[in-house]
Amino acid sequence: MIFYCDLVRLNGGLFIKTILLPYLIAHDDTDLSDTYLSSLIADLNRLPRLKPLRSSTLLTKMAKDYATSSGKAGIIGHENFVQRFSSLYRSGKTVGENCDYHQENALDAVIDLLIDQDEPSLGHRHNILSPVFNRVGVGIAPHRNYENVWVIDFSEQ
């Protein structure tokens, strides 16, 4: 997941040409008039070159723990977010979290989060493309209702 997030962050236009459009064609999902997809393409074409994300041991543990506990309980969303991130909040860091469900692989999950279909805030996309975030951790676990859950936790340095 970090690899694909970094490809987007390093060169949005190149990501469109080499990853996103071939992916959409292969999945028979090329309706570029779709509001969410067209806004993603516009965002990626405007995206300045961002620094790659650096893996964080703390964020990886947090993401893995939440993926495991939410998967076992069948939870969807960001339950107890403020409580789980309290130590980072106390240190003044900006944090974010993306959760995605039922995706077969990391590329499927990242593209789903980037398109952010039916999420008016586009919060998942904003987290991946945020220049504020430079640390990341990923967790993947079985999910009681959705086969699996992917969790990406972000923070600033």
Side-chain angles (χ1 to χ4, degrees), residues 23-116:
Y23 177 93
L24 295 172
I25 291 167
H27 289 80
D28 217 10
D29 187 15
T30 55
D31 181 8
L32 300 180
S33 67
D34 174 80
T35 304
Y36 288 91
L37 183 55
S38 62
S39 74
L40 172 61
I41 290 171
D43 285 351
L44 294 182
N45 277 320
R46 287 192 298 269
L47 186 69
R49 184 180 180 101
L50 301 174
K51 291 183 178 180
L53 298 164
R54 293 182 58 199
S55 181
S56 158
T57 303
L58 174 62
L59 292 174
T60 298
K61 180 181 179 348
M62 291 172 68
K64 286 180 178 180
D65 288 350
Y66 187 62
T68 300
S69 65
S70 67
K72 284 180 182 176
I75 295 169
I76 298 172
H78 311 280
E79 191 168 282
N80 299 322
F81 179 83
V82 173
Q83 180 184 358
R84 289 185 292 114
F85 284 86
S86 63
S87 66
L88 293 170
Y89 277 131
R90 280 195 301 274
S91 65
K93 296 191 185 315
T94 302
V95 296
E97 181 173 74
N98 290 354
C99 299
D100 203 49
Y101 305 87
H102 198 67
Q103 301 301 329
E104 290 186 26
N105 58 57
L107 180 58
D108 291 345
V110 169
I111 288 181
D112 191 50
L113 291 165
L114 284 168
I115 294 172
D116 225 2

Side-chain angles (χ1 to χ4, degrees), residues 34 77 128 154:
D34 174 80
I128 293 170
F154 299 92

Side-chain angles (χ1 to χ4, degrees), residues 43 113 116 121-131 133:
D43 285 351
L113 291 165
D116 225 2
S121 72
L122 301 176
H124 302 112
R125 180 188 307 175
H126 293 300
N127 283 344
I128 293 170
L129 303 181
S130 173
F133 294 139

